[in-house]
Amino acid sequence: MLDPRRLRMLAELERLGTIAAVAECLRQSAPGVSMQLAALEKEVGVALTEKNGRNVRLTPAGRVLAGHGVDVVERLTLAEMEIRALRDGASGTYRVAAFPSAARTIIAATWAALRTSGVGSVQLELIEMEPDESMAALRSGDADLAVTHTYSTMEPVDARNVSLWPLRSESVWLAVPAGRRCAEPADLRDFANDDWLAPRRERSCYDMVFRACGDAGFVPRVVAEATDFAVLLALVDAGAGVALVPDLAVDRLPSGVRLLELAQPVTRHLFCAARTSSATDPGLRRLRDAIDSASAALVRDPADITAR
């Protein structure tokens, strides 16, 4: 493989015209530059320079190789700049896995903030995933960062071989028809005979509903399952039943729906997760900071919330 330093010397000789000028530009001795160019000629097996009075000039082969030398120097300079940006956390592409309500809110806000910050070029790729899926994608290398969650009624996030950073915690509400008279905060035992609306059963939020109702001493009678909490709220508005809904999942509250605090609170805890081996990556740290800022602006702490 040709030595890029020698190619640069050849390119500079074509640009500057003399060995002395090349030596001054590169802060080397003129004999040292001459030796490196002679070594390059030996390496390629063809004359690259020829005498021109007291100076030298490039042969046709030298001019061809010097042109490539310019390209090599430009590519190496660009590579150095990009590596420096990666080292400083100002560049890089990161694949983020996030559950739906976080993808719609926190990741969307993070994306917008990174695009308008005017600093660096950290790029995102998003894939919407449930918590178990996102942690599996993280461990397999299909994701670089996961925004995940667990509920206060469920097991903690599996932290094997990953690093976790808490973001925020949010309340889970009981959504009921607005005209219904009921005590506040709501005791789930009072809703044991209601029809229930739940997320689809393969989702962790479905398990949350059953655990919360189980803690209240009953098994909910689920009459509808949906992937989108907006669908569940629309069904509550239609009088189809009641539902448990995390605060972040409430995008638009239908006029016919009321959200009640729970007498036995259920909290959803949000986390960022990354493989422990890449946890110190500067770009990943910058991305985590941006996600943390976005979550701070979007997620209301249960202690600061009063029922709507």
Side-chain angles (χ1 to χ4, degrees):
M1 182 179 294
L2 298 178
D3 189 328
R5 295 171 300 174
R6 293 169 181 168
L7 287 176
R8 183 181 181 187
M9 289 178 183
L10 191 66
E12 293 294 350
L13 180 58
E14 182 180 44
R15 182 173 72 90
L16 299 172
T18 68
I19 296 289
V22 173
E24 183 179 358
C25 176
L26 300 182
R27 297 183 179 180
Q28 296 192 30
S29 68
V33 171
S34 296
M35 288 177 61
Q36 292 297 324
L37 291 176
L40 181 61
E41 284 191 344
K42 184 176 181 181
E43 192 174 7
V44 298
V46 64
L48 301 175
T49 64
E50 59 186 3
K51 289 286 186 179
N52 181 32
R54 298 179 63 181
N55 294 316
V56 296
R57 63 186 174 194
L58 298 186
T59 64
R63 289 194 295 272
V64 169
L65 195 55
H68 289 294
V70 171
D71 293 337
V72 168
V73 170
E74 289 178 350
R75 295 292 297 178
L76 288 175
T77 301
L78 179 61
E80 289 172 353
M81 292 173 59
E82 291 181 351
I83 290 296
R84 186 162 53 249
L86 285 167
R87 186 176 60 245
D88 296 339
S91 181
T93 299
Y94 298 90
R95 190 167 174 81
V96 179
F99 60 93
S101 53
R104 176 178 55 80
T105 55
I106 295 172
I107 300 304
T110 299
W111 210 314
L114 289 173
R115 290 191 64 186
T116 58
S117 66
V119 179
S121 56
V122 171
Q123 301 293 321
L124 300 187
E125 293 180 355
L126 171 67
I127 180 166
E128 185 182 285
M129 287 183 168
E130 285 298 299
D132 288 347
E133 296 175 313
S134 67
M135 296 302 283
L138 195 64
R139 290 189 173 93
S140 69
D142 291 332
D144 300 304
L145 189 72
V147 178
T148 185
H149 68 72
T150 189
Y151 288 96
S152 57
T153 55
M154 299 174 65
E155 294 81 6
V157 173
D158 181 359
R160 289 173 300 168
N161 303 317
V162 300
S163 296
L164 298 175
W165 297 271
L167 291 172
R168 297 293 181 276
S169 296
E170 57 173 334
S171 289
V172 173
W173 305 98
L174 178 66
V176 301
R180 178 167 177 169
R181 298 182 62 185
C182 47
E184 297 183 52
D187 188 331
L188 289 184
R189 291 176 295 184
D190 297 336
F191 299 85
N193 295 319
D194 279 77
D195 289 334
W196 280 77
L197 317 168
R200 291 187 59 174
R201 63 188 64 221
E202 65 269 16
R203 295 176 177 258
S204 60
C205 298
Y206 179 91
D207 295 333
M208 174 272 294
V209 173
F210 272 74
R211 296 221 181 175
C213 292
D215 289 344
F218 69 96
V219 176
R221 182 174 63 249
V222 175
V223 299
E225 297 178 23
T227 58
D228 191 339
F229 279 105
V231 174
L232 300 182
L233 290 171
L235 292 173
V236 174
D237 188 33
V242 298
L244 290 173
V245 184
D247 189 67
L248 193 62
V250 182
D251 185 14
R252 296 179 181 84
L253 187 66
S255 59
V257 176
R258 204 168 142 217
L259 299 181
L260 305 178
E261 287 184 274
L262 298 174
Q264 292 183 293
V266 177
T267 305
R268 186 164 75 168
H269 305 295
L270 279 55
F271 298 86
C272 269
R275 290 182 297 281
T276 301
S277 59
S278 61
T280 58
D281 178 89
L284 205 60
R285 287 202 306 267
R286 182 174 177 231
L287 179 55
R288 287 200 330 259
D289 289 344
I291 290 174
D292 185 68
S293 296
S295 69
L298 292 167
V299 181
R300 301 182 301 167
D301 190 292
D304 299 329
I305 296 176
T306 56
R308 288 179 283 187

